[in-house]
Coordinates of all heavy atoms in Angstrom, one line a residue:
M1266 N -19.9 -18.4 -20.9 CA -19.7 -19.3 -19.9 C -20.8 -20.3 -19.8 O -22.0 -19.9 -19.9 CB -19.5 -18.5 -18.6 CG -19.4 -19.4 -17.3 SD -19.2 -18.5 -15.8 CE -17.5 -18.1 -15.8
A1267 N -20.5 -21.5 -19.6 CA -21.5 -22.6 -19.6 C -22.4 -22.4 -18.4 O -22.0 -22.0 -17.3 CB -20.8 -24.0 -19.5
G1268 N -23.7 -22.6 -18.6 CA -24.7 -22.5 -17.6 C -25.2 -21.1 -17.4 O -26.1 -20.9 -16.5
R1269 N -24.7 -20.1 -18.0 CA -25.2 -18.8 -17.8 C -26.2 -18.4 -18.9 O -26.0 -18.8 -20.1 CB -24.0 -17.8 -17.9 CG -23.3 -17.7 -16.6 CD -22.5 -16.4 -16.8 NE -22.3 -15.9 -15.5 CZ -21.4 -15.0 -15.1 NH1 -20.6 -14.5 -16.1 NH2 -21.2 -14.5 -13.9
D1270 N -27.2 -17.7 -18.5 CA -28.2 -17.1 -19.4 C -27.5 -16.1 -20.3 O -26.8 -15.2 -19.8 CB -29.4 -16.6 -18.6 CG -30.4 -16.0 -19.5 OD1 -30.4 -16.2 -20.7 OD2 -31.4 -15.5 -18.9
S1271 N -27.7 -16.1 -21.6 CA -27.1 -15.2 -22.5 C -27.5 -13.7 -22.2 O -26.8 -12.8 -22.4 CB -27.4 -15.5 -23.9 OG -28.8 -15.3 -24.2
E1272 N -28.7 -13.5 -21.6 CA -29.2 -12.2 -21.2 C -28.3 -11.6 -20.1 O -28.3 -10.4 -19.9 CB -30.6 -12.2 -20.9 CG -31.5 -12.6 -22.0 CD -31.5 -11.5 -23.1 OE1 -31.7 -10.3 -22.8 OE2 -31.3 -11.9 -24.3
Y1273 N -27.7 -12.4 -19.3 CA -26.9 -12.0 -18.1 C -25.8 -11.1 -18.5 O -25.5 -10.1 -17.8 CB -26.4 -13.2 -17.4 CG -25.7 -12.8 -16.1 CD1 -26.3 -12.5 -15.0 CD2 -24.3 -12.8 -16.1 CE1 -25.7 -12.2 -13.8 CE2 -23.6 -12.5 -15.0 CZ -24.2 -12.2 -13.8 OH -23.6 -11.9 -12.7
E1274 N -25.2 -11.3 -19.7 CA -24.1 -10.5 -20.1 C -24.4 -9.2 -20.8 O -23.6 -8.4 -21.0 CB -23.2 -11.3 -21.1 CG -22.7 -12.6 -20.6 CD -21.7 -12.3 -19.5 OE1 -21.0 -11.3 -19.5 OE2 -21.6 -13.2 -18.5
R1275 N -25.7 -9.0 -21.1 CA -26.1 -7.7 -21.7 C -26.2 -6.6 -20.7 O -26.6 -6.7 -19.6 CB -27.5 -7.9 -22.3 CG -27.6 -8.6 -23.5 CD -29.0 -8.6 -24.0 NE -28.9 -8.8 -25.5 CZ -30.0 -8.8 -26.2 NH1 -31.2 -8.8 -25.7 NH2 -29.8 -9.0 -27.5
P1276 N -25.7 -5.4 -21.2 CA -25.8 -4.2 -20.3 C -27.3 -3.8 -20.2 O -28.1 -4.1 -21.0 CB -25.1 -3.1 -21.1 CG -25.1 -3.6 -22.5 CD -25.1 -5.0 -22.5
I1277 N -27.6 -3.2 -19.1 CA -29.0 -2.7 -18.8 C -29.1 -1.4 -19.7 O -28.3 -0.6 -19.6 CB -29.2 -2.3 -17.4 CG1 -29.1 -3.6 -16.5 CG2 -30.5 -1.6 -17.1 CD1 -29.1 -3.4 -15.0
L1278 N -30.1 -1.3 -20.5 CA -30.4 -0.1 -21.3 C -31.6 0.5 -20.8 O -32.7 -0.1 -20.8 CB -30.5 -0.5 -22.8 CG -30.5 0.6 -23.8 CD1 -29.2 1.3 -23.7 CD2 -30.7 0.1 -25.2
L1279 N -31.5 1.7 -20.3 CA -32.6 2.5 -19.8 C -33.1 3.5 -20.9 O -32.2 3.9 -21.7 CB -32.2 3.3 -18.5 CG -31.6 2.4 -17.4 CD1 -30.9 3.2 -16.4 CD2 -32.7 1.6 -16.8
A1280 N -34.3 3.9 -20.9 CA -34.8 4.7 -21.9 C -35.9 5.7 -21.3 O -36.5 5.4 -20.3 CB -35.5 3.9 -23.0
C1281 N -36.1 6.8 -22.0 CA -37.1 7.7 -21.7 C -38.3 7.5 -22.5 O -38.2 7.3 -23.7 CB -36.6 9.2 -21.9 SG -37.9 10.5 -21.6
G1282 N -39.5 7.5 -21.9 CA -40.7 7.3 -22.7 C -41.2 8.5 -23.5 O -42.0 8.4 -24.3
G1283 N -40.6 9.7 -23.2 CA -41.0 10.8 -23.8 C -40.1 11.4 -24.9 O -40.3 12.4 -25.6
C1284 N -38.9 10.7 -25.1 CA -37.9 11.1 -26.2 C -37.2 9.8 -26.6 O -37.5 8.7 -26.1 CB -37.0 12.2 -25.7 SG -35.7 11.6 -24.5
D1285 N -36.2 10.0 -27.5 CA -35.4 8.8 -28.0 C -34.2 8.5 -27.2 O -33.3 7.7 -27.7 CB -35.2 9.0 -29.5 CG -34.2 10.1 -29.8 OD1 -33.9 10.9 -28.8 OD2 -33.8 10.2 -30.9
A1286 N -33.9 9.1 -26.1 CA -32.7 8.9 -25.3 C -32.7 7.5 -24.7 O -33.7 7.0 -24.2 CB -32.5 10.0 -24.2
R1287 N -31.5 6.9 -24.8 CA -31.2 5.6 -24.2 C -29.9 5.6 -23.6 O -28.9 6.2 -24.1 CB -31.3 4.4 -25.2 CG -32.7 4.3 -25.8 CD -32.7 3.2 -26.9 NE -31.9 3.7 -27.9 CZ -31.3 3.0 -28.9 NH1 -31.5 1.7 -28.9 NH2 -30.6 3.5 -29.8
W1288 N -29.7 5.0 -22.4 CA -28.4 5.0 -21.7 C -28.2 3.8 -20.8 O -29.2 3.1 -20.6 CB -28.2 6.3 -20.9 CG -29.3 6.5 -19.8 CD1 -29.1 6.1 -18.5 CD2 -30.6 7.0 -19.9 NE1 -30.3 6.4 -17.8 CE2 -31.2 7.0 -18.7 CE3 -31.3 7.5 -21.0 CZ2 -32.5 7.4 -18.5 CZ3 -32.6 8.0 -20.8 CH2 -33.2 7.9 -19.5
T1289 N -27.0 3.5 -20.4 CA -26.8 2.3 -19.5 C -26.4 2.7 -18.1 O -26.3 1.8 -17.3 CB -25.7 1.4 -20.1 OG1 -24.5 2.2 -20.3 CG2 -26.2 0.9 -21.5
A1290 N -25.9 3.9 -17.9 CA -25.4 4.2 -16.5 C -26.6 4.3 -15.5 O -27.5 5.1 -15.7 CB -24.7 5.6 -16.6
L1291 N -26.5 3.5 -14.5 CA -27.5 3.5 -13.5 C -27.5 4.8 -12.6 O -28.4 5.1 -11.9 CB -27.4 2.3 -12.6 CG -27.6 0.9 -13.3 CD1 -27.4 -0.2 -12.3 CD2 -29.1 0.9 -13.8
T1292 N -26.3 5.5 -12.6 CA -26.2 6.8 -11.9 C -26.8 8.0 -12.6 O -26.9 9.1 -12.0 CB -24.7 7.0 -11.6 OG1 -24.0 7.1 -12.8 CG2 -24.1 6.0 -10.7
A1293 N -27.1 7.8 -13.8 CA -27.6 8.9 -14.7 C -28.9 9.4 -14.3 O -29.7 8.7 -13.7 CB -27.6 8.5 -16.2
A1294 N -29.1 10.7 -14.5 CA -30.4 11.3 -14.2 C -30.9 12.0 -15.6 O -30.2 12.8 -16.2 CB -30.3 12.4 -13.2
H1295 N -32.1 11.6 -16.0 CA -32.7 12.1 -17.2 C -33.9 13.0 -16.8 O -34.8 12.6 -16.1 CB -33.2 11.0 -18.1 CG -33.7 11.4 -19.4 ND1 -32.8 11.8 -20.5 CD2 -34.9 11.5 -19.9 CE1 -33.6 12.1 -21.5 NE2 -34.9 12.0 -21.2
C1296 N -33.9 14.2 -17.3 CA -34.9 15.2 -16.9 C -36.2 14.9 -17.8 O -36.1 14.9 -19.0 CB -34.5 16.6 -17.1 SG -35.7 17.8 -16.7
P1297 N -37.3 14.6 -17.1 CA -38.5 14.3 -17.9 C -39.2 15.5 -18.5 O -40.1 15.4 -19.3 CB -39.5 13.7 -16.8 CG -39.0 14.3 -15.5 CD -37.5 14.5 -15.6
T1298 N -38.7 16.7 -18.1 CA -39.2 18.0 -18.6 C -38.5 18.4 -19.9 O -39.1 18.6 -20.9 CB -39.2 19.1 -17.5 OG1 -39.9 18.6 -16.4 CG2 -39.8 20.4 -18.1
C1299 N -37.2 18.5 -19.8 CA -36.4 19.0 -21.0 C -35.7 17.9 -21.7 O -35.1 18.2 -22.7 CB -35.4 20.1 -20.5 SG -34.1 19.5 -19.5
H1300 N -35.8 16.7 -21.2 CA -35.2 15.5 -21.8 C -33.7 15.6 -22.0 O -33.1 15.3 -23.1 CB -35.9 15.2 -23.1 CG -37.3 14.8 -22.9 ND1 -37.7 13.6 -22.3 CD2 -38.4 15.6 -23.0 CE1 -39.1 13.6 -22.2 NE2 -39.5 14.8 -22.6
T1301 N -33.0 16.1 -21.0 CA -31.6 16.2 -21.0 C -31.0 15.2 -20.0 O -31.7 14.9 -19.0 CB -31.1 17.6 -20.5 OG1 -31.8 18.6 -21.4 CG2 -29.6 17.8 -20.6
T1302 N -29.9 14.6 -20.4 CA -29.3 13.5 -19.5 C -28.1 14.0 -18.8 O -27.2 14.5 -19.4 CB -29.1 12.2 -20.3 OG1 -30.2 11.9 -21.1 CG2 -28.7 11.0 -19.5
F1303 N -28.0 13.7 -17.5 CA -26.9 14.1 -16.7 C -26.2 12.9 -16.1 O -26.8 11.8 -15.9 CB -27.4 15.1 -15.6 CG -28.2 16.2 -16.1 CD1 -29.5 16.1 -16.3 CD2 -27.5 17.4 -16.4 CE1 -30.2 17.3 -16.8 CE2 -28.2 18.5 -16.9 CZ -29.6 18.4 -17.1
A1304 N -24.9 13.1 -15.7 CA -24.1 12.0 -15.1 C -24.8 11.5 -13.8 O -24.7 10.3 -13.5 CB -22.7 12.4 -14.9
S1305 N -25.4 12.4 -13.0 CA -26.0 12.0 -11.8 C -27.1 13.0 -11.3 O -27.1 14.1 -11.8 CB -25.0 11.9 -10.6 OG -24.5 13.1 -10.2
A1306 N -27.9 12.7 -10.4 CA -29.0 13.4 -10.0 C -28.5 14.6 -9.1 O -29.1 15.6 -9.0 CB -30.0 12.7 -9.2
T1307 N -27.4 14.4 -8.4 CA -26.9 15.4 -7.4 C -25.9 16.3 -7.9 O -25.5 17.2 -7.2 CB -26.3 14.6 -6.2 OG1 -25.2 13.8 -6.7 CG2 -27.3 13.7 -5.5
S1308 N -25.6 16.3 -9.2 CA -24.7 17.3 -9.7 C -25.4 18.0 -10.9 O -26.1 19.1 -10.6 CB -23.4 16.6 -10.2 OG -23.8 15.6 -11.2
G1309 N -25.2 17.6 -12.1 CA -25.7 18.3 -13.2 C -27.2 18.5 -13.2 O -27.7 19.6 -13.5
F1310 N -27.9 17.5 -12.8 CA -29.4 17.6 -12.8 C -29.8 18.7 -11.9 O -30.6 19.6 -12.3 CB -30.0 16.3 -12.4 CG -31.5 16.3 -12.4 CD1 -32.2 16.1 -13.6 CD2 -32.3 16.6 -11.3 CE1 -33.6 16.2 -13.6 CE2 -33.6 16.8 -11.3 CZ -34.3 16.5 -12.5
D1311 N -29.3 18.7 -10.7 CA -29.7 19.8 -9.7 C -29.3 21.2 -10.2 O -30.0 22.1 -10.1 CB -29.1 19.5 -8.3 CG -29.8 18.3 -7.7 OD1 -30.9 17.9 -8.1 OD2 -29.1 17.8 -6.7
A1312 N -28.1 21.2 -10.9 CA -27.6 22.5 -11.3 C -28.5 23.1 -12.4 O -28.6 24.4 -12.5 CB -26.2 22.3 -11.8
H1313 N -29.1 22.3 -13.2 CA -29.9 22.8 -14.3 C -31.3 23.2 -14.0 O -31.9 23.9 -14.7 CB -29.9 21.8 -15.5 CG -31.2 21.0 -15.7 ND1 -31.6 20.0 -14.9 CD2 -32.1 21.1 -16.6 CE1 -32.7 19.5 -15.2 NE2 -33.1 20.1 -16.3
R1314 N -31.7 22.9 -12.7 CA -33.0 23.3 -12.3 C -32.8 24.5 -11.4 O -32.4 24.5 -10.3 CB -33.6 22.2 -11.5 CG -34.0 20.9 -12.2 CD -35.1 21.1 -13.1 NE -36.3 21.3 -12.4 CZ -37.5 21.6 -12.9 NH1 -37.6 21.8 -14.3 NH2 -38.5 21.8 -12.2
V1315 N -33.2 25.7 -11.9 CA -33.0 27.0 -11.2 C -34.4 27.6 -10.9 O -35.2 27.8 -11.9 CB -32.1 27.9 -12.0 CG1 -32.1 29.3 -11.2 CG2 -30.7 27.3 -12.2
G1316 N -34.8 27.7 -9.7 CA -36.1 28.2 -9.4 C -37.3 27.3 -9.9 O -38.3 27.8 -10.3
G1317 N -37.0 26.0 -10.0 CA -38.0 25.1 -10.4 C -38.2 25.0 -11.9 O -39.1 24.5 -12.5
T1318 N -37.2 25.6 -12.7 CA -37.3 25.7 -14.2 C -36.0 25.1 -14.7 O -35.0 25.4 -14.2 CB -37.5 27.2 -14.6 OG1 -38.6 27.7 -14.0 CG2 -37.6 27.2 -16.1
C1319 N -36.1 24.4 -15.8 CA -35.0 23.8 -16.5 C -34.2 25.0 -17.2 O -34.8 25.8 -17.9 CB -35.4 22.9 -17.6 SG -36.2 21.4 -16.9
Q1320 N -32.9 25.0 -17.1 CA -32.1 26.0 -17.7 C -31.2 25.2 -18.7 O -30.8 24.1 -18.5 CB -31.1 26.6 -16.7 CG -31.9 27.4 -15.6 CD -32.7 28.6 -16.2 OE1 -32.2 29.3 -17.1 NE2 -34.0 28.7 -15.9
P1321 N -30.8 25.9 -19.9 CA -29.9 25.2 -20.8 C -28.6 24.9 -20.1 O -28.0 25.7 -19.3 CB -29.7 26.3 -21.9 CG -30.9 27.1 -21.8 CD -31.2 27.2 -20.3
P1322 N -28.1 23.6 -20.2 CA -26.9 23.2 -19.4 C -25.7 24.2 -19.6 O -25.0 24.5 -18.6 CB -26.6 21.8 -20.0 CG -28.0 21.3 -20.3 CD -28.7 22.5 -20.9
P1323 N -25.4 24.7 -20.8 CA -24.2 25.6 -20.9 C -24.4 26.9 -20.0 O -23.4 27.4 -19.5 CB -24.1 25.9 -22.4 CG -24.8 24.8 -23.0 CD -25.9 24.4 -22.1
R1324 N -25.7 27.3 -19.9 CA -25.9 28.5 -19.1 C -25.6 28.4 -17.6 O -25.3 29.3 -16.9 CB -27.4 28.9 -19.3 CG -27.7 30.3 -18.7 CD -29.1 30.7 -18.9 NE -29.3 30.9 -20.4 CZ -30.6 31.0 -20.9 NH1 -31.6 30.8 -20.2 NH2 -30.7 31.1 -22.2
V1325 N -25.7 27.1 -17.1 CA -25.4 26.9 -15.7 C -24.0 26.2 -15.5 O -23.7 25.7 -14.4 CB -26.5 26.1 -15.0 CG1 -27.8 26.8 -15.0 CG2 -26.7 24.7 -15.7
G1326 N -23.1 26.3 -16.5 CA -21.8 25.9 -16.4 C -21.5 24.4 -16.6 O -20.4 23.9 -16.2
L1327 N -22.4 23.7 -17.3 CA -22.2 22.3 -17.6 C -21.6 22.2 -19.0 O -21.8 23.0 -19.9 CB -23.5 21.6 -17.5 CG -24.2 21.6 -16.1 CD1 -25.6 21.0 -16.3 CD2 -23.4 20.9 -15.1
H1328 N -20.9 21.0 -19.2 CA -20.3 20.7 -20.5 C -20.8 19.3 -20.9 O -21.2 18.5 -20.1 CB -18.8 20.8 -20.5 CG -18.1 19.7 -19.8 ND1 -18.0 19.7 -18.4 CD2 -17.6 18.6 -20.3 CE1 -17.4 18.6 -18.0 NE2 -17.1 17.9 -19.1
E1329 N -20.8 19.0 -22.2 CA -21.3 17.8 -22.7 C -20.2 16.9 -23.1 O -19.2 17.3 -23.6 CB -22.2 18.0 -24.0 CG -22.8 16.7 -24.4 CD -23.6 16.9 -25.7 OE1 -23.4 17.9 -26.4 OE2 -24.4 16.0 -26.0
D1330 N -20.4 15.6 -22.8 CA -19.4 14.5 -23.2 C -20.2 13.3 -23.4 O -20.9 12.8 -22.5 CB -18.3 14.3 -22.1 CG -17.3 13.3 -22.5 OD1 -17.2 13.0 -23.7 OD2 -16.6 12.8 -21.6
R1331 N -20.2 12.8 -24.7 CA -20.8 11.6 -25.1 C -22.3 11.5 -24.7 O -22.9 10.5 -24.3 CB -20.1 10.4 -24.5 CG -18.7 10.3 -25.0 CD -18.0 9.0 -24.7 NE -17.9 8.9 -23.2 CZ -17.3 7.8 -22.7 NH1 -16.7 6.9 -23.4 NH2 -17.3 7.7 -21.3
G1332 N -23.0 12.7 -24.8 CA -24.4 12.8 -24.6 C -24.8 13.1 -23.2 O -26.0 13.4 -22.9
Y1333 N -23.9 13.1 -22.2 CA -24.2 13.4 -20.8 C -23.8 14.9 -20.6 O -22.7 15.3 -21.1 CB -23.4 12.5 -19.8 CG -23.9 11.2 -19.7 CD1 -23.3 10.2 -20.5 CD2 -24.9 10.8 -18.9 CE1 -23.7 8.8 -20.4 CE2 -25.4 9.5 -18.8 CZ -24.8 8.5 -19.6 OH -25.2 7.3 -19.5
W1334 N -24.5 15.6 -19.8 CA -24.1 16.9 -19.4 C -23.5 16.8 -18.0 O -24.0 16.1 -17.1 CB -25.3 17.9 -19.3 CG -25.7 18.2 -20.6 CD1 -26.7 17.7 -21.4 CD2 -25.2 19.3 -21.5 NE1 -26.7 18.3 -22.7 CE2 -25.8 19.3 -22.7 CE3 -24.1 20.2 -21.3 CZ2 -25.5 20.2 -23.7 CZ3 -23.8 21.1 -22.3 CH2 -24.5 21.1 -23.5
L1335 N -22.3 17.4 -17.8 CA -21.4 17.1 -16.6 C -20.9 18.4 -16.0 O -20.8 19.5 -16.7 CB -20.2 16.4 -17.1 CG -20.5 15.1 -18.0 CD1 -19.2 14.8 -18.7 CD2 -21.0 14.0 -17.2
L1336 N -20.6 18.4 -14.7 CA -19.9 19.4 -14.1 C -18.4 19.3 -14.5 O -18.0 18.3 -15.1 CB -20.0 19.3 -12.5 CG -21.4 19.5 -12.0 CD1 -21.4 19.1 -10.5 CD2 -21.8 20.9 -12.2
A1337 N -17.6 20.3 -14.2 CA -16.3 20.4 -14.7 C -15.4 19.2 -14.3 O -14.6 18.7 -15.1 CB -15.6 21.6 -14.1
D1338 N -15.6 18.6 -13.1 CA -14.7 17.5 -12.6 C -15.3 16.1 -12.9 O -14.7 15.1 -12.6 CB -14.4 17.6 -11.2 CG -15.7 17.7 -10.3 OD1 -16.8 17.9 -10.8 OD2 -15.6 17.5 -9.1
E1339 N -16.5 16.0 -13.6 CA -17.1 14.7 -13.8 C -16.7 14.2 -15.2 O -16.3 14.8 -16.1 CB -18.6 14.9 -13.9 CG -19.3 15.1 -12.6 CD -20.8 15.2 -12.7 OE1 -21.3 16.0 -13.5 OE2 -21.5 14.5 -12.0
R1340 N -16.8 12.8 -15.2 CA -16.6 12.0 -16.5 C -17.8 11.4 -16.8 O -18.6 11.0 -16.0 CB -15.4 11.1 -16.2 CG -14.2 11.7 -15.9 CD -13.1 10.7 -15.7 NE -12.9 10.0 -17.0 CZ -12.2 8.8 -17.1 NH1 -11.7 8.2 -16.0 NH2 -12.1 8.2 -18.2
A1341 N -18.1 11.2 -18.1 CA -19.3 10.6 -18.6 C -19.2 9.1 -18.2 O -18.2 8.4 -18.4 CB -19.3 10.7 -20.2
P1342 N -20.3 8.6 -17.6 CA -20.4 7.3 -17.1 C -20.8 6.2 -18.3 O -21.2 5.2 -18.0 CB -21.5 7.3 -16.1 CG -22.4 8.4 -16.6 CD -21.5 9.4 -17.2
G1343 N -20.6 6.6 -19.4 CA -21.0 5.8 -20.6 C -21.4 6.7 -21.8 O -20.7 7.8 -21.9
R1344 N -22.4 6.3 -22.5 CA -22.8 7.1 -23.7 C -24.3 7.1 -23.7 O -25.0 6.1 -23.5 CB -22.2 6.4 -24.9 CG -22.5 7.2 -26.1 CD -21.8 6.5 -27.3 NE -22.1 7.3 -28.5 CZ -21.6 7.0 -29.7 NH1 -20.8 6.0 -29.8 NH2 -21.9 7.7 -30.7
V1345 N -24.9 8.3 -24.1 CA -26.3 8.4 -24.3 C -26.5 8.2 -25.8 O -25.8 8.8 -26.6 CB -26.8 9.8 -23.9 CG1 -28.3 9.9 -24.1 CG2 -26.5 10.0 -22.4
L1346 N -27.4 7.4 -26.2 CA -27.8 7.1 -27.6 C -29.0 7.9 -28.0 O -30.0 7.9 -27.2 CB -27.9 5.6 -27.8 CG -26.8 4.7 -27.3 CD1 -27.2 3.3 -27.4 CD2 -25.6 5.0 -28.1
H1347 N -29.0 8.4 -29.2 CA -30.2 9.2 -29.7 C -30.3 8.8 -31.2 O -29.4 8.6 -31.9 CB -30.0 10.7 -29.7 CG -30.0 11.3 -28.3 ND1 -31.2 11.5 -27.6 CD2 -29.0 11.6 -27.4 CE1 -30.9 12.0 -26.4 NE2 -29.6 12.1 -26.3
A1348 N -31.6 8.8 -31.7 CA -31.8 8.7 -33.1 C -31.5 10.0 -33.8 O -31.1 10.0 -34.9 CB -33.3 8.2 -33.3
E1349 N -31.7 11.1 -33.0 CA -31.4 12.4 -33.6 C -30.0 12.7 -33.5 O -29.3 12.3 -32.5 CB -32.3 13.4 -32.7 CG -32.3 14.8 -33.2 CD -33.2 15.7 -32.3 OE1 -33.8 15.2 -31.4 OE2 -33.2 16.9 -32.6
P1350 N -29.4 13.4 -34.5 CA -27.9 13.7 -34.3 C -27.6 14.5 -33.1 O -28.4 15.5 -32.8 CB -27.6 14.5 -35.6 CG -28.7 14.2 -36.5 CD -29.9 13.8 -35.7
P1351 N -26.5 14.2 -32.4 CA -26.1 15.0 -31.1 C -26.0 16.5 -31.3 O -26.4 17.2 -30.4 CB -24.8 14.3 -30.7 CG -24.8 13.0 -31.4 CD -25.6 13.1 -32.7
D1352 N -25.5 16.9 -32.4 CA -25.3 18.4 -32.6 C -26.6 19.1 -32.7 O -26.8 20.2 -32.2 CB -24.4 18.7 -33.8 CG -25.1 18.2 -35.1 OD1 -25.8 17.1 -35.1 OD2 -24.9 18.8 -36.2
T1353 N -27.7 18.4 -33.1 CA -29.0 19.0 -33.2 C -29.5 19.2 -31.7 O -30.1 20.2 -31.4 CB -30.0 18.2 -33.9 OG1 -29.5 17.9 -35.2 CG2 -31.4 18.8 -34.0
I1354 N -29.3 18.2 -30.9 CA -29.7 18.3 -29.4 C -28.9 19.4 -28.7 O -29.5 20.1 -28.0 CB -29.5 16.9 -28.8 CG1 -30.4 15.9 -29.4 CG2 -29.7 17.0 -27.3 CD1 -30.0 14.4 -29.1
T1355 N -27.6 19.5 -29.0 CA -26.8 20.5 -28.3 C -27.3 21.9 -28.7 O -27.4 22.8 -27.9 CB -25.3 20.3 -28.7 OG1 -24.9 19.0 -28.3 CG2 -24.4 21.3 -28.1
R1356 N -27.6 22.1 -30.0 CA -28.0 23.4 -30.5 C -29.4 23.7 -29.8 O -29.6 24.9 -29.4 CB -28.2 23.5 -32.0 CG -26.9 23.6 -32.7 CD -27.0 24.1 -34.1 NE -28.0 23.2 -34.9 CZ -27.6 22.1 -35.5 NH1 -26.4 21.7 -35.6 NH2 -28.5 21.4 -36.2
R1357 N -30.3 22.8 -29.7 CA -31.6 23.0 -29.1 C -31.5 23.4 -27.6 O -32.2 24.3 -27.1 CB -32.4 21.8 -29.3 CG -33.8 21.9 -28.8 CD -34.7 20.7 -29.0 NE -34.2 19.6 -28.2 CZ -34.0 18.3 -28.7 NH1 -34.4 18.1 -29.9 NH2 -33.6 17.5 -27.9
M1358 N -30.6 22.7 -26.9 CA -30.4 23.0 -25.5 C -29.7 24.3 -25.2 O -29.8 24.8 -24.1 CB -29.7 21.8 -24.8 CG -30.6 20.5 -24.7 SD -32.2 20.8 -24.0 CE -31.8 21.5 -22.4
A1359 N -28.8 24.7 -26.1 CA -28.0 26.0 -25.9 C -28.9 27.2 -25.9 O -28.6 28.2 -25.4 CB -27.0 26.0 -27.0
G1360 N -30.1 27.0 -26.6 CA -31.1 28.1 -26.8 C -31.1 29.1 -25.8 O -31.4 30.1 -25.6

């Protein structure tokens, strides 16, 4: 569109300084301790913290979709990008 800055059309890309995760969903919550990304802070993120400790998402009933860990009724708000293959991350978190 004429008169618009080309940067205006770009999606916002958020990143973690401690791992290679990148995402665009502003509602997402990324844990700075275990470096897992959730659809929101009030659902999966809270569920994975039990007694102040990170739990593997499958252990607390979460499932993965496009790099986000979700509760049963949630949908991924986009996609989490990693330099590391996603199956490696899933195996590490299932631990």
